[in-house]
Amino acid sequence: MGTMNLLFGATTLIYLLASICYLVAMLGKRSQVGRAGRWMLLAGVILHAACFGVRHSTAGGTPVTSLHESLAFFAWCLVLLFLLLDLRFHLSVMGAFAAPLAFLLMIASALSPNVVVQLNPVLKSWLFPVHIVFAFLGNAAFALSFGAGVMYLIQNRMLKSKRFTGLYQLLPSLDILDRVNYTCLSVGFPLMTLGIISGAFWANTAWGTYWSWDPKETWALITWFLYAALLHGRLTVGWRGRKAAIFSIIAFIFLLFTFLGVNLLLGGYHTFEAFAIL
Amino acid sequence: MNIVIVGLSHKTAPVEIREKVAFSPAEIEHPLKQLLALPSVSEAVIVSTCNRVELYGISRQPDVAIMEMKQFLAQSHGLESDVLAPHLYDFSGAEAIVHVLRVASSLDSMMIGEPQILGQIKTAYGYACEYKTVGLILNRFLRKAFSVAKRVRSETAIASNAVSVSFAAVELARKIFDSLENKTVMLIGAGEMCELAAKHFINNGVSNVLVTNRTFSRAERLAEEFNGTAVSFENFREQLHRVDIVLSSTGAPDYVLGAKKLKAVCKERRYKPMFLIDIAVPRDIDPAANKLDSIYLYDVDDLQGVVQANLKERQKEAAKAELIINEEVGQFQRWLATLEVKPTIVALRQKMEQVRQGEVEKTFSNLNGLNAKERKAIESMSSAIINKILHHPTHVLKQTSTEDDSSLYLDAVRTLFDLPDVDRQK
């Protein structure tokens, strides 16, 4: 437990330092500092993975059974996907969104009770980790598409109104932002789909039914339809740019509600308490 | 030793004067050597661009050197000194250092932050090296100026924003399309600004050019120049869906492109963004088109606005650059000052060493039968005494070298220790 807390603390600190780097890079227009932030995030993501490893070897099972653990896992997915995107598109400005978000998720995680929930034997199946990993990677991809969407709207507004602030130089071109939005969508959507399907199969082994209209399932389906509509619009009608950005922002708000709101407000068997041995 | 500068620039002299005193690079050797031959000047560099002509020299008597250099500049172009005098500026000492650093960093340029001037000074320095008219000080100084200019460029955003309308257009296009490779540009009408902008776009990667004009032959001629395709004015709207960037400058009294037509084009393009630049007055493109999601429409005033904002930004960055320069001036002055005291310190040490050696010899010949170890002890003791005695005076000389009355200390030391006068001729 001690090693894990140490690793958790160190990871959180590194995410904080990376956030500071990215924000300084953005506000002070110093791109070297942004590069330092990237290396820090890389260190953070490795340390964080080690943290999961320790958690797995001491407590066993998939390390995503409590709110504490899932928030931290979300942060890890987010940072990992951001680093991959950055590799492809050179998006260090987006670090000023991704790194602080990861840091805040870690703080939220630290504030929620750190308990290792012993999984109800009924729920033990290889499908559980598969379901969780797909769902969270999908969420992280959508969070980044949300970030890209917000950045697109800001940049678009400046180009349309012809009034430019300091952000103008910093933000990537509309083309890059739109491509990032699309990349995240095309990565996130299959992940989310696989997450839902694997979840259904798991539900079948655990409860003997694939789908039971539990609130989380319902909302996940709504969110899935929204993203499906966006993907469809992009591929067939030629939705792009501002429209796609707004759509991905709205869809992400639904996703957030599915991820957090449902647990906190609506209950159902996706709540973390429900995982425990009854 | 002082750095001395005489010159004129776009700020002090009109082009009629500047063109008269310019030096052609092909014939720079002779004037460089003449400048070096002036009695008060050691080391010489001549910078000559269309916006400025400057002579750099090193001298012990800056006032005399300035006079001689001014005369030289007038004479070498067959002008009367009086004609040139009102346009000339001169600097020496710290002011000269600041001036050159500012010029090299493009703070004194007509367009602040323009990149050419640094290259021009480098070329001038290259000639001076080739003809061996630079020595220790100007060598070190100009290298310093280059590194300061580089620092200014990398630490401030002085050169980062476009300050011409056509460059501003290219920059905006980059913020929309990212890369301009494989983009198609269409010129509607043929204004001079339009052609210039088109050239910038082509230089930055645009590969397809369509040209349309009411006079088709004109379109053809221009299309040929840009390696593009001419389109008849009646049919250019049918081609619009292929076009990413429109440059419009017809003399038409009404809109050539309406918002409704553009809306249809957007749909045909599946809402891929389109950048329209309307340089015409009266305008060619209905301003309402800017409300369409995938249309970015800029008219002349919009582009001017961008340029003005960028210029303001450069001025802000120039203030930061001045701070950097102030820092570097101090550093260079300290180096220059220690150069001044070095010969005196060396002479002082030599004198003391002579005295020491003489006295040690005498002692050795008086005391017979000293073994090697004892001799060595006496040697090192005498050296230690000299070092201890000279330590503080040396320190003071170096310390005061940056002060105005430094020569007072130097003269005192020379007189007190009867040191020979070290090279003071130039």
Side-chain angles (χ1 to χ4, degrees):
Chain A
M1 218 54 186
T3 332
M4 210 178 83
N5 284 337
L6 194 69
L7 282 171
F8 187 92
T11 308
T12 310
L13 186 67
I14 288 179
Y15 287 164
L16 173 65
L17 292 176
S19 306
I20 293 170
C21 281
Y22 279 118
L23 287 168
V24 167
M26 188 171 92
L27 301 174
K29 297 181 195 167
R30 295 198 174 271
S31 52
Q32 312 95 301
V33 190
R35 277 197 284 280
R38 180 188 303 161
W39 286 109
M40 258 177 233
L41 274 193
L42 188 64
V45 92
I46 293 167
L47 213 58
H48 202 165
C51 184
F52 291 133
V54 172
R55 154 69 175 77
H56 181 78
S57 62
T58 52
T62 313
V64 194
T65 49
S66 65
L67 184 62
H68 169 81
E69 287 170 350
S70 45
L71 285 169
F73 187 67
F74 189 19
W76 184 76
C77 292
L78 189 75
V79 173
L80 183 71
L81 286 184
F82 165 71
L83 285 172
L84 291 174
L85 265 188
D86 191 29
L87 203 66
R88 170 83 180 73
F89 292 106
H90 305 290
L91 280 173
S92 67
V93 196
M94 202 166 172
F97 161 78
L101 183 57
F103 170 69
L104 289 177
L105 284 166
M106 293 300 275
I107 292 294
S109 164
L111 291 177
S112 48
N114 181 5
V115 282
V116 173
V117 180
Q118 281 311 314
L119 213 55
N120 190 327
V122 176
L123 302 178
K124 274 198 176 151
S125 154
W126 62 272
L127 280 165
F128 176 59
V130 170
H131 169 60
I132 295 286
V133 169
F134 279 142
F136 276 83
L137 279 173
N139 285 357
F142 289 138
L144 291 172
S145 89
F146 165 81
V150 171
M151 277 157 61
Y152 185 97
L153 290 184
I154 295 171
Q155 185 72 308
N156 186 60
R157 173 145 194 87
M158 286 192 277
L159 279 163
K160 277 275 186 192
S161 68
K162 293 143 194 177
R163 273 195 292 276
F164 303 99
T165 66
L167 268 178
Y168 170 72
Q169 285 298 335
L170 246 44
L171 287 176
S173 61
L174 293 180
D175 181 62
I176 291 270
L177 289 170
D178 194 44
R179 265 156 59 199
V180 169
N181 193 301
Y182 177 64
T183 307
C184 290
L185 179 66
S186 56
V187 166
F189 187 73
L191 284 170
M192 188 190 196
T193 311
L194 287 172
I196 291 177
I197 292 173
S198 56
F201 275 101
W202 176 42
N204 190 41
T205 53
W207 292 285
T209 165
Y210 287 101
W211 197 269
S212 45
W213 298 108
D214 153 87
K216 187 115 177 173
E217 288 173 2
T218 313
W219 280 93
L221 196 65
I222 293 171
T223 315
W224 184 86
F225 270 115
L226 278 175
Y227 279 113
L230 175 57
L231 196 60
H232 176 79
R234 286 200 83 118
L235 292 175
T236 61
V237 197
W239 283 1
R240 59 169 81 224
R242 180 164 166 271
K243 200 179 263 178
I246 292 174
F247 207 115
S248 66
I249 289 169
I250 293 171
F252 185 69
I253 292 168
F254 273 81
L255 183 89
L256 266 189
F257 183 74
T258 308
F259 176 50
L260 291 175
V262 170
N263 284 19
L264 301 176
L265 302 174
L266 299 179
Y269 63 60
H270 267 90
T271 52
F272 297 107
E273 299 76 39
F275 286 140
I277 303 164
L278 302 168
Chain B
M1 283 296 182
N2 266 291
I3 294 171
V4 182
I5 293 167
V6 166
L8 49 75
S9 74
H10 58 97
K11 287 189 176 160
T12 62
V15 65
E16 300 86 58
I17 299 286
R18 297 202 304 270
E19 66 191 5
K20 275 186 195 142
V21 296
F23 292 91
S24 98
E27 298 156 12
I28 201 80
E29 182 179 3
H30 185 59
L32 265 175
K33 293 203 162 147
Q34 274 187 312
L35 179 58
L36 190 62
L38 293 178
S40 64
V41 175
S42 64
E43 303 194 28
V45 170
I46 297 178
V47 176
S48 179
T49 76
C50 53
N51 278 333
R52 72 180 66 239
V53 172
E54 290 184 347
L55 312 176
Y56 301 167
I58 299 296
S59 178
R60 283 206 178 277
Q61 305 147 276
D63 297 339
V64 181
I66 285 169
M67 219 177 62
E68 288 179 358
M69 283 159 80
K70 281 182 174 172
Q71 265 169 8
F72 162 75
L73 188 59
Q75 278 165 10
S76 62
H77 294 95
L79 297 167
E80 290 296 320
S81 295
D82 308 356
V83 181
L84 226 47
H87 302 291
L88 289 177
Y89 49 75
D90 57 76
F91 301 105
S92 65
E95 279 186 338
I97 299 173
V98 172
H99 177 75
V100 175
L101 296 185
R102 290 188 77 244
V103 170
S105 307
S106 194
L107 296 180
D108 199 47
S109 299
M110 193 178 270
M111 185 70 78
I112 293 177
E114 55 89 9
Q116 282 93 355
I117 184 66
L118 182 59
Q120 288 161 336
I121 298 180
K122 278 185 178 166
T123 310
Y125 170 65
Y127 286 125
C129 288
E130 193 182 330
Y131 301 122
K132 302 200 170 56
T133 62
V134 283
L136 176 69
I137 298 176
L138 276 185
N139 245 320
R140 171 120 175 192
F141 176 52
L142 287 174
R143 278 163 200 270
K144 183 82 195 174
F146 302 151
S147 79
V148 171
K150 206 173 153 196
R151 205 184 138 198
V152 164
R153 210 149 266 267
S154 64
E155 288 181 23
T156 72
I158 192 154
S160 63
N161 302 319
V163 284
S164 74
V165 166
S166 44
F167 257 122
V170 170
E171 255 178 30
L172 285 165
R174 281 238 177 82
K175 279 293 183 191
I176 296 170
F177 301 113
D178 207 62
S179 154
L180 300 182
E181 308 267 318
N182 300 321
K183 293 289 179 284
T184 301
V185 81
M186 181 187 263
L187 277 87
I188 306 173
E192 199 182 317
M193 211 136 89
C194 229
E195 283 179 43
L196 190 65
K199 269 180 204 147
H200 278 308
F201 275 114
I202 291 165
N203 287 341
N204 283 282
V206 165
S207 47
N208 308 315
V209 181
L210 301 178
V211 185
T212 183
N213 201 302
R214 263 186 225 283
T215 329
F216 189 65
S217 59
R218 243 190 123 185
E220 275 180 319
R221 187 185 60 71
L222 214 57
E224 202 173 321
E225 189 184 325
F226 292 135
N227 220 348
T229 321
V231 181
S232 76
F233 198 75
E234 290 70 42
N235 297 326
F236 84 87
R237 290 174 187 80
E238 272 85 86
Q239 301 290 332
L240 274 174
H241 66 277
R242 299 207 283 138
V243 176
D244 304 291
I245 300 158
V246 173
L247 288 164
S248 189
S249 67
T250 73
D254 297 316
Y255 297 143
V256 175
L257 266 179
K260 219 169 157 191
K261 172 66 195 164
L262 281 168
K263 196 173 177 186
V265 171
C266 285
K267 202 174 168 198
E268 215 176 335
R269 285 172 59 78
R270 288 170 51 103
Y271 306 102
K272 273 196 291 184
M274 221 176 157
F275 181 33
L276 298 114
I277 302 149
D278 184 355
I279 313 182
V281 179
R283 287 179 289 184
D284 280 343
I285 304 168
D286 184 356
N290 194 44
K291 292 205 182 79
L292 295 167
D293 248 4
S294 59
I295 295 270
Y296 300 86
L297 171 60
Y298 280 69
D299 63 27
V300 162
D301 282 3
D302 296 332
L303 290 173
Q304 292 289 8
V306 172
V307 167
Q308 285 309 318
N310 287 350
L311 272 177
K312 228 184 247 168
E313 196 61 31
R314 280 196 179 194
Q315 264 140 19
K316 250 196 264 168
E317 293 301 313
K320 279 190 216 164
E322 303 278 2
L323 291 179
I324 293 177
I325 286 173
N326 280 342
E327 233 177 271
E328 302 276 358
V329 169
Q331 261 186 39
F332 189 77
Q333 267 189 303
R334 278 192 287 282
W335 177 79
L336 205 57
T338 54
L339 213 59
E340 199 85 348
V341 300
K342 233 179 208 159
T344 305
I345 293 173
V346 170
L348 182 60
R349 287 211 155 259
Q350 274 170 353
K351 178 109 188 178
M352 290 291 151
E353 186 62 22
Q354 270 170 19
V355 172
R356 185 190 73 82
Q357 274 173 9
E359 292 309 305
V360 166
E361 288 302 316
K362 241 190 252 172
T363 308
F364 286 167
S365 58
N366 287 344
L367 293 171
N368 281 326
L370 286 175
N371 63 26
K373 202 179 164 194
E374 287 161 339
R375 279 167 178 267
K376 210 177 168 198
I378 291 173
E379 285 269 4
S380 52
M381 180 205 64
S382 56
S383 288
I385 290 174
I386 298 289
N387 282 338
K388 283 255 158 86
I389 291 174
L390 285 187
H391 176 76
H392 192 66
T394 310
H395 180 68
V396 171
L397 279 178
K398 280 186 181 162
Q399 276 288 294
T400 54
S401 67
T402 50
E403 288 165 18
D404 289 339
D405 53 357
S406 66
S407 63
L408 210 74
Y409 289 89
L410 288 178
D411 288 342
V413 169
R414 288 213 175 88
T415 316
L416 287 173
F417 292 94
D418 187 27
L419 301 175
D421 235 5
V422 270
D423 84 294
R424 305 209 82 186
Q425 62 276 31
K426 276 200 171 178

